Amino acid sequence: MYTYIMTDIHGHYDAMRKLLDKVGFSASDRLICAGDYIDRGPQSYEMLRWIENPGKNVILVRGNHDEEYVYYVELMKIIFQKMKLDMGSLEVTKSVYKAAGKITSVFDSYGTVKQLIQKNGAVFSELSLWADCIRKLPYFYELTNKGRRCVIVHGGYIENLDSLKGVKTDGSYDSLEEFYLTARDDAYLYGGVEHGMVIAGHTPTTNIYELPFNHGNVYRFYDKENDCIFYDLDCGYAFGDMGSDAKLACLRLEDEKVFYIR
């Protein structure tokens, strides 16, 4: 039995399946995904259908894009409930989508909800079902590997926000959940697990302006002071049209072997 970890699939369902085939993933193995299942790519519908029932050997952690999707659905739900509309009607769903877009300019930033409605014919009851699935996902998952406490999270992990007092951070965090979802360089500078390991994504290693830049390869960093191993598995696959370095990565935890597809 092996434990495989992936992140930032971003609507590339076929690529995910191809990578799992490459590593030989089977029912006796375990897969942990660290969020951002949708947006950017062409198969958000397939990813959302998958997270309805990914399998008993699959553990899903939420990402910031997944969280944003829940906000969009909640806004639409307010309109549906206030006006007592039919949540199973495609035409009504289209109308409510347009109304929600007039309320805030940041609604459906990547056009994923629009694609689900117009291309896939998803009605609001389906959109709401997927939002409910995401709400049930934890912000991080924890296990033990070779005696190390290992945390799988989307952005970064920190024990508490008190350690950020008096330091200059890249981001602003009102809660631990915000750090889990959105931390970038701060995750490596101020986060971590003493004598442990943190495996995350969120920050593409193709981004030259971020700390975990590694030419589209998995970033591994060892913090000697805290005896903590950091991994960033987001190798920029969702931005593949912007550079040849981008890949989708998978880490096999037991021997820390990395697998890629382009």
Side-chain angles (χ1 to χ4, degrees), residues 55-84:
K56 294 181 179 179
N57 60 335
V58 178
I59 298 164
L60 304 179
V61 174
R62 76 174 78 182
N64 62 299
H65 283 256
D66 316 311
E67 185 102 323
E68 289 164 9
Y69 171 83
V70 172
Y71 296 154
Y72 303 150
V73 173
E74 287 179 346
L75 177 57
M76 292 180 68
K77 187 175 183 179
I78 292 172
I79 300 172
F80 268 97
Q81 291 181 334
K82 185 175 182 179
M83 301 185 69
K84 299 180 180 180

PDB file of all heavy atoms in Angstrom, residues 55-84:
ATOM      1  N   GLY A  55     -14.244   7.677  -3.740  1.00  0.00           N
ATOM      2  CA  GLY A  55     -13.792   6.350  -3.322  1.00  0.00           C
ATOM      3  C   GLY A  55     -13.321   6.350  -1.878  1.00  0.00           C
ATOM      4  O   GLY A  55     -12.882   7.373  -1.354  1.00  0.00           O
ATOM      5  N   LYS A  56     -13.426   5.194  -1.245  1.00  0.00           N
ATOM      6  CA  LYS A  56     -13.063   5.093   0.175  1.00  0.00           C
ATOM      7  C   LYS A  56     -11.572   5.302   0.427  1.00  0.00           C
ATOM      8  O   LYS A  56     -11.172   5.637   1.544  1.00  0.00           O
ATOM      9  CB  LYS A  56     -13.501   3.731   0.715  1.00  0.00           C
ATOM     10  CG  LYS A  56     -15.013   3.537   0.744  1.00  0.00           C
ATOM     11  CD  LYS A  56     -15.379   2.178   1.318  1.00  0.00           C
ATOM     12  CE  LYS A  56     -16.899   2.002   1.366  1.00  0.00           C
ATOM     13  NZ  LYS A  56     -17.281   0.672   1.913  1.00  0.00           N
ATOM     14  N   ASN A  57     -10.763   5.083  -0.600  1.00  0.00           N
ATOM     15  CA  ASN A  57      -9.309   5.228  -0.431  1.00  0.00           C
ATOM     16  C   ASN A  57      -8.808   6.599  -0.901  1.00  0.00           C
ATOM     17  O   ASN A  57      -7.613   6.785  -1.135  1.00  0.00           O
ATOM     18  CB  ASN A  57      -8.564   4.126  -1.179  1.00  0.00           C
ATOM     19  CG  ASN A  57      -8.838   4.140  -2.674  1.00  0.00           C
ATOM     20  OD1 ASN A  57      -9.879   4.622  -3.126  1.00  0.00           O
ATOM     21  ND2 ASN A  57      -7.911   3.607  -3.448  1.00  0.00           N
ATOM     22  N   VAL A  58      -9.735   7.551  -1.032  1.00  0.00           N
ATOM     23  CA  VAL A  58      -9.384   8.910  -1.458  1.00  0.00           C
ATOM     24  C   VAL A  58      -9.771   9.902  -0.365  1.00  0.00           C
ATOM     25  O   VAL A  58     -10.899   9.871   0.138  1.00  0.00           O
ATOM     26  CB  VAL A  58     -10.079   9.295  -2.775  1.00  0.00           C
ATOM     27  CG1 VAL A  58      -9.744  10.734  -3.168  1.00  0.00           C
ATOM     28  CG2 VAL A  58      -9.677   8.335  -3.892  1.00  0.00           C
ATOM     29  N   ILE A  59      -8.821  10.763  -0.014  1.00  0.00           N
ATOM     30  CA  ILE A  59      -9.050  11.806   0.996  1.00  0.00           C
ATOM     31  C   ILE A  59      -8.893  13.157   0.320  1.00  0.00           C
ATOM     32  O   ILE A  59      -7.858  13.430  -0.311  1.00  0.00           O
ATOM     33  CB  ILE A  59      -8.061  11.666   2.163  1.00  0.00           C
ATOM     34  CG1 ILE A  59      -8.266  10.325   2.873  1.00  0.00           C
ATOM     35  CG2 ILE A  59      -8.202  12.828   3.147  1.00  0.00           C
ATOM     36  CD1 ILE A  59      -7.135   9.933   3.771  1.00  0.00           C
ATOM     37  N   LEU A  60      -9.911  13.993   0.442  1.00  0.00           N
ATOM     38  CA  LEU A  60      -9.886  15.297  -0.204  1.00  0.00           C
ATOM     39  C   LEU A  60      -9.781  16.407   0.826  1.00  0.00           C
ATOM     40  O   LEU A  60     -10.497  16.414   1.824  1.00  0.00           O
ATOM     41  CB  LEU A  60     -11.151  15.498  -1.041  1.00  0.00           C
ATOM     42  CG  LEU A  60     -11.445  14.429  -2.108  1.00  0.00           C
ATOM     43  CD1 LEU A  60     -12.742  14.767  -2.820  1.00  0.00           C
ATOM     44  CD2 LEU A  60     -10.301  14.316  -3.092  1.00  0.00           C
ATOM     45  N   VAL A  61      -8.897  17.355   0.563  1.00  0.00           N
ATOM     46  CA  VAL A  61      -8.725  18.561   1.376  1.00  0.00           C
ATOM     47  C   VAL A  61      -9.147  19.743   0.519  1.00  0.00           C
ATOM     48  O   VAL A  61      -8.910  19.748  -0.688  1.00  0.00           O
ATOM     49  CB  VAL A  61      -7.255  18.699   1.820  1.00  0.00           C
ATOM     50  CG1 VAL A  61      -7.010  20.021   2.539  1.00  0.00           C
ATOM     51  CG2 VAL A  61      -6.858  17.519   2.710  1.00  0.00           C
ATOM     52  N   ARG A  62      -9.769  20.736   1.120  1.00  0.00           N
ATOM     53  CA  ARG A  62     -10.264  21.855   0.302  1.00  0.00           C
ATOM     54  C   ARG A  62      -9.178  22.876  -0.026  1.00  0.00           C
ATOM     55  O   ARG A  62      -8.208  23.041   0.722  1.00  0.00           O
ATOM     56  CB  ARG A  62     -11.443  22.539   0.981  1.00  0.00           C
ATOM     57  CG  ARG A  62     -11.096  23.435   2.128  1.00  0.00           C
ATOM     58  CD  ARG A  62     -12.320  24.178   2.633  1.00  0.00           C
ATOM     59  NE  ARG A  62     -13.183  23.359   3.473  1.00  0.00           N
ATOM     60  CZ  ARG A  62     -14.342  23.784   3.993  1.00  0.00           C
ATOM     61  NH1 ARG A  62     -14.777  25.006   3.725  1.00  0.00           N
ATOM     62  NH2 ARG A  62     -15.048  23.008   4.767  1.00  0.00           N
ATOM     63  N   GLY A  63      -9.362  23.562  -1.149  1.00  0.00           N
ATOM     64  CA  GLY A  63      -8.465  24.626  -1.570  1.00  0.00           C
ATOM     65  C   GLY A  63      -9.205  25.942  -1.666  1.00  0.00           C
ATOM     66  O   GLY A  63     -10.431  26.000  -1.525  1.00  0.00           O
ATOM     67  N   ASN A  64      -8.494  27.025  -1.943  1.00  0.00           N
ATOM     68  CA  ASN A  64      -9.131  28.341  -1.988  1.00  0.00           C
ATOM     69  C   ASN A  64     -10.117  28.476  -3.155  1.00  0.00           C
ATOM     70  O   ASN A  64     -11.153  29.127  -3.032  1.00  0.00           O
ATOM     71  CB  ASN A  64      -8.078  29.454  -2.044  1.00  0.00           C
ATOM     72  CG  ASN A  64      -7.201  29.390  -3.272  1.00  0.00           C
ATOM     73  OD1 ASN A  64      -6.493  28.402  -3.492  1.00  0.00           O
ATOM     74  ND2 ASN A  64      -7.212  30.437  -4.086  1.00  0.00           N
ATOM     75  N   HIS A  65      -9.836  27.838  -4.283  1.00  0.00           N
ATOM     76  CA  HIS A  65     -10.769  27.907  -5.411  1.00  0.00           C
ATOM     77  C   HIS A  65     -12.058  27.155  -5.098  1.00  0.00           C
ATOM     78  O   HIS A  65     -13.141  27.584  -5.512  1.00  0.00           O
ATOM     79  CB  HIS A  65     -10.119  27.337  -6.675  1.00  0.00           C
ATOM     80  CG  HIS A  65      -9.155  28.278  -7.320  1.00  0.00           C
ATOM     81  ND1 HIS A  65      -9.444  28.990  -8.469  1.00  0.00           N
ATOM     82  CD2 HIS A  65      -7.895  28.646  -6.971  1.00  0.00           C
ATOM     83  CE1 HIS A  65      -8.405  29.753  -8.798  1.00  0.00           C
ATOM     84  NE2 HIS A  65      -7.452  29.552  -7.903  1.00  0.00           N
ATOM     85  N   ASP A  66     -11.943  26.065  -4.379  1.00  0.00           N
ATOM     86  CA  ASP A  66     -13.122  25.304  -3.981  1.00  0.00           C
ATOM     87  C   ASP A  66     -13.962  26.114  -2.988  1.00  0.00           C
ATOM     88  O   ASP A  66     -15.193  26.150  -3.077  1.00  0.00           O
ATOM     89  CB  ASP A  66     -12.692  23.978  -3.349  1.00  0.00           C
ATOM     90  CG  ASP A  66     -11.588  23.307  -4.143  1.00  0.00           C
ATOM     91  OD1 ASP A  66     -11.735  23.192  -5.373  1.00  0.00           O
ATOM     92  OD2 ASP A  66     -10.565  22.923  -3.543  1.00  0.00           O
ATOM     93  N   GLU A  67     -13.278  26.785  -2.086  1.00  0.00           N
ATOM     94  CA  GLU A  67     -13.949  27.628  -1.097  1.00  0.00           C
ATOM     95  C   GLU A  67     -14.687  28.780  -1.788  1.00  0.00           C
ATOM     96  O   GLU A  67     -15.809  29.131  -1.416  1.00  0.00           O
ATOM     97  CB  GLU A  67     -12.916  28.181  -0.116  1.00  0.00           C
ATOM     98  CG  GLU A  67     -13.506  28.971   1.027  1.00  0.00           C
ATOM     99  CD  GLU A  67     -13.561  28.167   2.315  1.00  0.00           C
ATOM    100  OE1 GLU A  67     -13.826  26.960   2.253  1.00  0.00           O
ATOM    101  OE2 GLU A  67     -13.348  28.743   3.379  1.00  0.00           O
ATOM    102  N   GLU A  68     -14.065  29.365  -2.792  1.00  0.00           N
ATOM    103  CA  GLU A  68     -14.699  30.464  -3.522  1.00  0.00           C
ATOM    104  C   GLU A  68     -15.961  29.984  -4.238  1.00  0.00           C
ATOM    105  O   GLU A  68     -16.966  30.710  -4.298  1.00  0.00           O
ATOM    106  CB  GLU A  68     -13.704  31.069  -4.516  1.00  0.00           C
ATOM    107  CG  GLU A  68     -12.584  31.859  -3.840  1.00  0.00           C
ATOM    108  CD  GLU A  68     -11.413  32.124  -4.767  1.00  0.00           C
ATOM    109  OE1 GLU A  68     -11.539  31.842  -5.981  1.00  0.00           O
ATOM    110  OE2 GLU A  68     -10.371  32.593  -4.280  1.00  0.00           O
ATOM    111  N   TYR A  69     -15.907  28.787  -4.774  1.00  0.00           N
ATOM    112  CA  TYR A  69     -17.091  28.220  -5.426  1.00  0.00           C
ATOM    113  C   TYR A  69     -18.266  28.153  -4.447  1.00  0.00           C
ATOM    114  O   TYR A  69     -19.407  28.482  -4.807  1.00  0.00           O
ATOM    115  CB  TYR A  69     -16.770  26.820  -5.956  1.00  0.00           C
ATOM    116  CG  TYR A  69     -17.989  26.068  -6.451  1.00  0.00           C
ATOM    117  CD1 TYR A  69     -18.497  26.261  -7.729  1.00  0.00           C
ATOM    118  CD2 TYR A  69     -18.639  25.150  -5.618  1.00  0.00           C
ATOM    119  CE1 TYR A  69     -19.623  25.580  -8.166  1.00  0.00           C
ATOM    120  CE2 TYR A  69     -19.765  24.471  -6.044  1.00  0.00           C
ATOM    121  CZ  TYR A  69     -20.248  24.682  -7.318  1.00  0.00           C
ATOM    122  OH  TYR A  69     -21.363  24.003  -7.737  1.00  0.00           O
ATOM    123  N   VAL A  70     -17.996  27.753  -3.214  1.00  0.00           N
ATOM    124  CA  VAL A  70     -19.045  27.688  -2.196  1.00  0.00           C
ATOM    125  C   VAL A  70     -19.653  29.062  -1.964  1.00  0.00           C
ATOM    126  O   VAL A  70     -20.885  29.205  -1.840  1.00  0.00           O
ATOM    127  CB  VAL A  70     -18.485  27.118  -0.880  1.00  0.00           C
ATOM    128  CG1 VAL A  70     -19.520  27.220   0.246  1.00  0.00           C
ATOM    129  CG2 VAL A  70     -18.060  25.664  -1.059  1.00  0.00           C
ATOM    130  N   TYR A  71     -18.832  30.105  -1.934  1.00  0.00           N
ATOM    131  CA  TYR A  71     -19.348  31.469  -1.752  1.00  0.00           C
ATOM    132  C   TYR A  71     -20.290  31.852  -2.888  1.00  0.00           C
ATOM    133  O   TYR A  71     -21.341  32.468  -2.660  1.00  0.00           O
ATOM    134  CB  TYR A  71     -18.191  32.470  -1.698  1.00  0.00           C
ATOM    135  CG  TYR A  71     -17.258  32.311  -0.519  1.00  0.00           C
ATOM    136  CD1 TYR A  71     -15.936  32.747  -0.591  1.00  0.00           C
ATOM    137  CD2 TYR A  71     -17.684  31.728   0.670  1.00  0.00           C
ATOM    138  CE1 TYR A  71     -15.069  32.601   0.485  1.00  0.00           C
ATOM    139  CE2 TYR A  71     -16.825  31.581   1.747  1.00  0.00           C
ATOM    140  CZ  TYR A  71     -15.514  32.020   1.643  1.00  0.00           C
ATOM    141  OH  TYR A  71     -14.655  31.873   2.712  1.00  0.00           O
ATOM    142  N   TYR A  72     -19.925  31.501  -4.126  1.00  0.00           N
ATOM    143  CA  TYR A  72     -20.763  31.837  -5.279  1.00  0.00           C
ATOM    144  C   TYR A  72     -22.126  31.147  -5.167  1.00  0.00           C
ATOM    145  O   TYR A  72     -23.179  31.764  -5.432  1.00  0.00           O
ATOM    146  CB  TYR A  72     -20.086  31.406  -6.583  1.00  0.00           C
ATOM    147  CG  TYR A  72     -18.718  31.988  -6.817  1.00  0.00           C
ATOM    148  CD1 TYR A  72     -17.760  31.276  -7.538  1.00  0.00           C
ATOM    149  CD2 TYR A  72     -18.365  33.237  -6.318  1.00  0.00           C
ATOM    150  CE1 TYR A  72     -16.499  31.798  -7.770  1.00  0.00           C
ATOM    151  CE2 TYR A  72     -17.103  33.756  -6.539  1.00  0.00           C
ATOM    152  CZ  TYR A  72     -16.166  33.035  -7.255  1.00  0.00           C
ATOM    153  OH  TYR A  72     -14.917  33.553  -7.471  1.00  0.00           O
ATOM    154  N   VAL A  73     -22.109  29.896  -4.780  1.00  0.00           N
ATOM    155  CA  VAL A  73     -23.353  29.143  -4.654  1.00  0.00           C
ATOM    156  C   VAL A  73     -24.210  29.705  -3.518  1.00  0.00           C
ATOM    157  O   VAL A  73     -25.439  29.798  -3.634  1.00  0.00           O
ATOM    158  CB  VAL A  73     -23.059  27.646  -4.435  1.00  0.00           C
ATOM    159  CG1 VAL A  73     -24.343  26.877  -4.119  1.00  0.00           C
ATOM    160  CG2 VAL A  73     -22.389  27.055  -5.674  1.00  0.00           C
ATOM    161  N   GLU A  74     -23.561  30.117  -2.433  1.00  0.00           N
ATOM    162  CA  GLU A  74     -24.312  30.688  -1.312  1.00  0.00           C
ATOM    163  C   GLU A  74     -25.006  31.991  -1.719  1.00  0.00           C
ATOM    164  O   GLU A  74     -26.131  32.262  -1.293  1.00  0.00           O
ATOM    165  CB  GLU A  74     -23.376  30.930  -0.128  1.00  0.00           C
ATOM    166  CG  GLU A  74     -22.958  29.649   0.575  1.00  0.00           C
ATOM    167  CD  GLU A  74     -22.008  29.889   1.723  1.00  0.00           C
ATOM    168  OE1 GLU A  74     -21.454  31.022   1.831  1.00  0.00           O
ATOM    169  OE2 GLU A  74     -21.787  28.955   2.505  1.00  0.00           O
ATOM    170  N   LEU A  75     -24.341  32.786  -2.543  1.00  0.00           N
ATOM    171  CA  LEU A  75     -24.955  34.027  -3.019  1.00  0.00           C
ATOM    172  C   LEU A  75     -26.182  33.717  -3.879  1.00  0.00           C
ATOM    173  O   LEU A  75     -27.239  34.343  -3.726  1.00  0.00           O
ATOM    174  CB  LEU A  75     -23.939  34.841  -3.817  1.00  0.00           C
ATOM    175  CG  LEU A  75     -24.452  36.147  -4.437  1.00  0.00           C
ATOM    176  CD1 LEU A  75     -25.031  37.074  -3.366  1.00  0.00           C
ATOM    177  CD2 LEU A  75     -23.331  36.850  -5.207  1.00  0.00           C
ATOM    178  N   MET A  76     -26.050  32.753  -4.774  1.00  0.00           N
ATOM    179  CA  MET A  76     -27.182  32.360  -5.604  1.00  0.00           C
ATOM    180  C   MET A  76     -28.312  31.794  -4.748  1.00  0.00           C
ATOM    181  O   MET A  76     -29.497  32.036  -5.017  1.00  0.00           O
ATOM    182  CB  MET A  76     -26.738  31.337  -6.644  1.00  0.00           C
ATOM    183  CG  MET A  76     -25.799  31.881  -7.710  1.00  0.00           C
ATOM    184  SD  MET A  76     -25.288  30.621  -8.919  1.00  0.00           S
ATOM    185  CE  MET A  76     -26.839  30.296  -9.767  1.00  0.00           C
ATOM    186  N   LYS A  77     -27.956  31.069  -3.709  1.00  0.00           N
ATOM    187  CA  LYS A  77     -28.974  30.456  -2.845  1.00  0.00           C
ATOM    188  C   LYS A  77     -29.833  31.510  -2.146  1.00  0.00           C
ATOM    189  O   LYS A  77     -31.044  31.327  -1.961  1.00  0.00           O
ATOM    190  CB  LYS A  77     -28.296  29.561  -1.807  1.00  0.00           C
ATOM    191  CG  LYS A  77     -29.272  28.749  -0.968  1.00  0.00           C
ATOM    192  CD  LYS A  77     -28.526  27.796  -0.049  1.00  0.00           C
ATOM    193  CE  LYS A  77     -29.503  26.937   0.738  1.00  0.00           C
ATOM    194  NZ  LYS A  77     -28.785  25.975   1.627  1.00  0.00           N
ATOM    195  N   ILE A  78     -29.211  32.620  -1.768  1.00  0.00           N
ATOM    196  CA  ILE A  78     -29.963  33.708  -1.133  1.00  0.00           C
ATOM    197  C   ILE A  78     -31.067  34.198  -2.059  1.00  0.00           C
ATOM    198  O   ILE A  78     -32.209  34.428  -1.643  1.00  0.00           O
ATOM    199  CB  ILE A  78     -29.018  34.868  -0.756  1.00  0.00           C
ATOM    200  CG1 ILE A  78     -28.076  34.433   0.377  1.00  0.00           C
ATOM    201  CG2 ILE A  78     -29.808  36.105  -0.346  1.00  0.00           C
ATOM    202  CD1 ILE A  78     -26.974  35.436   0.679  1.00  0.00           C
ATOM    203  N   ILE A  79     -30.739  34.333  -3.343  1.00  0.00           N
ATOM    204  CA  ILE A  79     -31.725  34.799  -4.323  1.00  0.00           C
ATOM    205  C   ILE A  79     -32.827  33.755  -4.501  1.00  0.00           C
ATOM    206  O   ILE A  79     -34.023  34.088  -4.522  1.00  0.00           O
ATOM    207  CB  ILE A  79     -31.039  35.104  -5.668  1.00  0.00           C
ATOM    208  CG1 ILE A  79     -29.978  36.192  -5.486  1.00  0.00           C
ATOM    209  CG2 ILE A  79     -32.064  35.524  -6.717  1.00  0.00           C
ATOM    210  CD1 ILE A  79     -29.121  36.438  -6.711  1.00  0.00           C
ATOM    211  N   PHE A  80     -32.416  32.490  -4.639  1.00  0.00           N
ATOM    212  CA  PHE A  80     -33.399  31.423  -4.803  1.00  0.00           C
ATOM    213  C   PHE A  80     -34.386  31.385  -3.638  1.00  0.00           C
ATOM    214  O   PHE A  80     -35.600  31.282  -3.831  1.00  0.00           O
ATOM    215  CB  PHE A  80     -32.696  30.063  -4.919  1.00  0.00           C
ATOM    216  CG  PHE A  80     -32.389  29.647  -6.327  1.00  0.00           C
ATOM    217  CD1 PHE A  80     -31.137  29.865  -6.868  1.00  0.00           C
ATOM    218  CD2 PHE A  80     -33.356  29.043  -7.106  1.00  0.00           C
ATOM    219  CE1 PHE A  80     -30.846  29.473  -8.161  1.00  0.00           C
ATOM    220  CE2 PHE A  80     -33.078  28.649  -8.411  1.00  0.00           C
ATOM    221  CZ  PHE A  80     -31.826  28.864  -8.943  1.00  0.00           C
ATOM    222  N   GLN A  81     -33.849  31.459  -2.422  1.00  0.00           N
ATOM    223  CA  GLN A  81     -34.709  31.343  -1.242  1.00  0.00           C
ATOM    224  C   GLN A  81     -35.581  32.580  -1.041  1.00  0.00           C
ATOM    225  O   GLN A  81     -36.754  32.462  -0.675  1.00  0.00           O
ATOM    226  CB  GLN A  81     -33.843  31.084  -0.012  1.00  0.00           C
ATOM    227  CG  GLN A  81     -33.191  29.709  -0.005  1.00  0.00           C
ATOM    228  CD  GLN A  81     -32.365  29.452   1.233  1.00  0.00           C
ATOM    229  OE1 GLN A  81     -31.871  30.382   1.874  1.00  0.00           O
ATOM    230  NE2 GLN A  81     -32.200  28.191   1.587  1.00  0.00           N
ATOM    231  N   LYS A  82     -34.991  33.743  -1.274  1.00  0.00           N
ATOM    232  CA  LYS A  82     -35.742  34.979  -1.073  1.00  0.00           C
ATOM    233  C   LYS A  82     -36.922  35.069  -2.022  1.00  0.00           C
ATOM    234  O   LYS A  82     -38.015  35.534  -1.652  1.00  0.00           O
ATOM    235  CB  LYS A  82     -34.822  36.187  -1.251  1.00  0.00           C
ATOM    236  CG  LYS A  82     -35.491  37.523  -0.941  1.00  0.00           C
ATOM    237  CD  LYS A  82     -34.487  38.658  -1.014  1.00  0.00           C
ATOM    238  CE  LYS A  82     -35.154  39.980  -0.652  1.00  0.00           C
ATOM    239  NZ  LYS A  82     -34.175  41.112  -0.697  1.00  0.00           N
ATOM    240  N   MET A  83     -36.733  34.587  -3.259  1.00  0.00           N
ATOM    241  CA  MET A  83     -37.785  34.685  -4.271  1.00  0.00           C
ATOM    242  C   MET A  83     -38.561  33.378  -4.434  1.00  0.00           C
ATOM    243  O   MET A  83     -39.457  33.282  -5.275  1.00  0.00           O
ATOM    244  CB  MET A  83     -37.164  35.105  -5.609  1.00  0.00           C
ATOM    245  CG  MET A  83     -36.433  36.438  -5.548  1.00  0.00           C
ATOM    246  SD  MET A  83     -35.822  37.006  -7.151  1.00  0.00           S
ATOM    247  CE  MET A  83     -37.376  37.368  -7.982  1.00  0.00           C
ATOM    248  N   LYS A  84     -38.177  32.369  -3.631  1.00  0.00           N
ATOM    249  CA  LYS A  84     -38.868  31.070  -3.649  1.00  0.00           C
ATOM    250  C   LYS A  84     -38.931  30.486  -5.059  1.00  0.00           C
ATOM    251  O   LYS A  84     -40.001  30.140  -5.583  1.00  0.00           O
ATOM    252  CB  LYS A  84     -40.265  31.201  -3.053  1.00  0.00           C
ATOM    253  CG  LYS A  84     -40.264  31.647  -1.595  1.00  0.00           C
ATOM    254  CD  LYS A  84     -41.668  31.762  -1.038  1.00  0.00           C
ATOM    255  CE  LYS A  84     -41.615  32.221   0.418  1.00  0.00           C
ATOM    256  NZ  LYS A  84     -42.981  32.346   1.017  1.00  0.00           N
TER     257      LYS A  84
END
